[in-house]
Amino acid sequence: MPQYLRKYIVSDPEVLGGEPVIVGTRIPVDRIYHLLKQGYSLDNLKEEYSWVDQKKIQYAVAYLVKAGMDDFKKAQKVQVATR
């Protein structure tokens, strides 16, 4: 995880078994991912979690985009290597 995201996303073995969560909450990043897959927009997420600093939600989404892009790049490297 990029350093700048670490003040918004944390993974602590004492919180939800180390699953990445939004800092200061017990909201798993995985939950945000599943809501996005269901069609939630950033505005929907902000409404759903209105008690959470909105910047934290934005960075959780950024974390997911970054993680998805990293996986995409890895998959592309494997495909190119196997050609």
Side-chain angles (χ1 to χ4, degrees), residues 2 6-7 20-22 27 30 32 34 44 57-59 61 65-66 72 74 80 83:
R6 292 176 193 225
K7 68 180 185 178
V21 298
I22 296 174
I27 301 170
D30 187 59
I32 301 298
H34 286 291
N44 295 134
I57 293 173
Q58 289 173 334
Y59 277 94
V61 172
V65 169
K66 173 75 174 136
F72 175 76
K74 286 177 189 173
V80 169
R83 286 186 186 172

Side-chain angles (χ1 to χ4, degrees), residues 60-71:
V61 172
Y63 169 77
L64 292 167
V65 169
K66 173 75 174 136
M69 192 55 132
D70 288 346
D71 288 345

Side-chain angles (χ1 to χ4, degrees), residues 9-64:
I9 307 293
V10 67
S11 183
D12 179 348
E14 299 295 318
V15 178
L16 294 178
E19 187 173 339
V21 298
I22 296 174
V23 167
T25 75
R26 294 178 61 83
I27 301 170
V29 174
D30 187 59
R31 170 79 176 141
I32 301 298
Y33 170 74
H34 286 291
L35 290 173
L36 290 169
K37 278 184 65 175
Q38 292 175 17
Y40 275 58
S41 67
L42 189 55
D43 288 335
N44 295 134
L45 291 172
K46 289 176 181 179
E47 187 176 311
E48 181 81 16
Y49 297 108
S50 59
W51 52 274
V52 176
D53 177 358
Q54 301 307 301
K55 198 169 197 178
K56 290 180 181 180
I57 293 173
Q58 289 173 334
Y59 277 94
V61 172
Y63 169 77
L64 292 167

